[in-house]
Amino acid sequence: QAKASGRSTYKFYTSVLQAEVVGKLALEKELREAIKNEELEPWFQPQYELKTLKLIGFEALVRWNHPTRGVLPPGKFIDLAEETGLIINIGEIVLEKACAHLKTMQKMSSQSLKMSINLSPRQLESDNLVPFIKRIVTKNCIDPRNVVLEITENLLLQKTREVLDTLAQLKSMGIRIALDDFGTGYSAIAYLQQFHFDQIKIDRSFIQHAHENGKDIRLVKLMLGIATHLGMDIVAEGIEVNEQLSALRDLDCPLGQGYLFSKPVIFSDAEKLILKNEEHIKTVPEEDEAER
Ligand code: C2E
Ligand code: MG
Ligand code: MG
Ligand code: MG
C-alpha cells in the first residue's frame, strides 16, 4: 500500500518535472523567435528630482510583446534568458534601443536627460560589452555621462578581476554605474567605496513603509547618509503614494521613481512626459535651481 502510493507520488513528481522541462524548452524556443521577430523592447519609467518634481531621466525596463499572451514583464522570462545566455542578445537590444531613444529625447528636452539601463551578470562577463557600448554611444552621439548602467549587489559577490576591469573601463569612458536594489543583497559598505558607484538605488522594500515605520525611516536616513558621505547620487525606488514622497522629501532624498509618478511606459508616452516637463520647469522657481 505504502509502496504503491510512494511509487505514484514519484510518478507524479516526475511528470511535473517533465512538464517543467518541456515548458522551459518551449519558452526558450519562443524567446529565440521573439528576439528574431523584434518582439522585445524597452519601456521607460521616469525619474524625478523630488524637491522640484523636475524630470531627470528614465529607466529602461524590457518588455516582451508576446503575440498571444500580451505584454510580458521581465519576471516572466529574464531568469530563463540568463540561464540560456539569451540575455546577451536581449541586453544588446535594450542598450541599442534605449540609447537611440535617448538621442531623440535629448532633442526634445531643454535640459539633459539620463538613461538608466539594467545590466545582467552575464553581460558584464562578456568581452563584447565595452566595445558594444562604445559603438552605440558613438553612433548615437550621446554624452556617455548621461548613460547610467545599473548592476545588482549579488554581482559583487562573484566579482572577478574581469568584472572589475569592465566596470573600470566603462567608468573611464564617462559612463555612470549605479547599484540597484540597494539594501537587499550582501554588499558591505566597503564595497561601495571600492567600486566607486556613482549612484545607489534604495530598494522599494525600504520605501514602502518609509512614511509610517520608524525603523525603515531610520534605515533610509542611514543609506542617504552613507551615499552623501561617499558622494553618490541616490534614487528612491517604488514611490507609490504621496505620504512616501513627503517622507522622502523631509529626509532630503534627492531623486526618485515609482507608480505615484508613472509606471513604465512605451516610448511615445515617455515623449509626452518630456513635453509635460518642459511646461512644468517654467513654473519651478529659480531659487531651487541655485540651491542644488
Ligand atoms: P529593477 O531594475 O529594480 O526595476 C524596478 C522594477 O520595479 C520594475 O519592474 C518596475 O516596473 C517596478 N516598479 C517601479 N516603480 C514601482 C512602484 O512604485 N511599485 C511597484 N510595485 N513596482 C514598481 P519590472 O519592469 O518588472 O522589472 C523587474 C526587474 O527585471 C528589474 O528590477 C530588473 O532587475 C530586471 N530588468 C528589467 N529590464 C531589464 C533589462 O533590460 N535587462 C536586465 N538584465 N534586467 C532587466
Ligand atoms: Mg533597475
Ligand atoms: Mg531596483
Ligand atoms: Mg532588480
Side-chain angles (χ1 to χ4, degrees), residues 180-181 203 237:
D180 204 354
D181 306 339
D203 191 67
E237 292 193 289

Side-chain angles (χ1 to χ4, degrees), residues 272-289:
K272 287 178 196 149
L273 291 172
I274 295 171
L275 296 178
K276 198 172 118 195
N277 182 61
E278 288 299 309
E279 289 309 306
H280 171 67
I281 53 181
K282 291 179 195 157
T283 70
V284 177
E286 290 290 323
E287 292 91 70
D288 284 330
E289 188 72 5

Side-chain angles (χ1 to χ4, degrees), residues 44 46 68 91 111 216 225 267-270:
F44 301 94
T68 57
Q111 40 174 11
D216 282 354
F267 177 62
S268 60
D269 286 338

Side-chain angles (χ1 to χ4, degrees), residues 18-155:
Q18 271 166 358
E20 218 168 83
V21 170
V22 170
K24 240 183 179 177
L25 282 173
L27 188 65
E28 181 183 342
K29 192 162 163 263
E30 270 192 288
L31 194 51
R32 279 184 202 281
E33 288 296 311
I35 292 168
K36 258 193 255 152
N37 299 337
E38 299 192 45
E39 290 165 16
L40 290 143
E41 65 174 6
W43 286 28
F44 301 94
Q45 186 178 40
Q47 300 178 323
Y48 293 91
E49 183 176 72
L50 299 186
K51 198 175 265 174
T52 59
L53 298 183
K54 280 203 277 188
L55 181 70
I56 53 151
F58 293 88
E59 177 175 2
L61 294 154
V62 69
R63 296 291 182 268
W64 177 359
N65 295 310
H66 193 282
T68 57
R69 291 164 69 197
V71 177
L72 302 181
K76 299 272 189 216
F77 60 90
I78 212 92
D79 284 350
L80 184 76
E82 189 78 28
E83 273 173 47
T84 53
L86 291 173
I87 192 70
I88 301 278
N89 311 60
I90 295 174
E92 289 185 351
I93 292 168
V94 172
L95 280 164
E96 178 106 49
K97 293 198 175 171
C99 288
H101 284 327
L102 177 62
K103 178 75 197 160
T104 311
M105 289 172 169
Q106 298 293 22
K107 286 187 189 146
M108 301 174 60
S109 173
S110 59
Q111 40 174 11
S112 77
L113 297 171
K114 287 191 158 57
M115 180 64 71
S116 295
I117 300 164
N118 295 282
L119 283 190
S120 87
R122 281 259 193 149
Q123 281 175 282
L124 267 162
E125 285 162 7
S126 149
D127 290 338
N128 221 349
L129 182 71
V130 173
F132 184 84
I133 291 179
K134 248 183 207 154
R135 213 158 50 233
I136 52 166
V137 163
T138 312
K139 186 172 95 187
N140 293 294
C141 306
I142 49 185
D143 184 342
R145 287 170 301 181
N146 291 325
V147 177
V148 183
L149 298 178
E150 300 189 0
I151 67 170
T152 53
E153 286 175 295
N154 308 348
L155 195 80

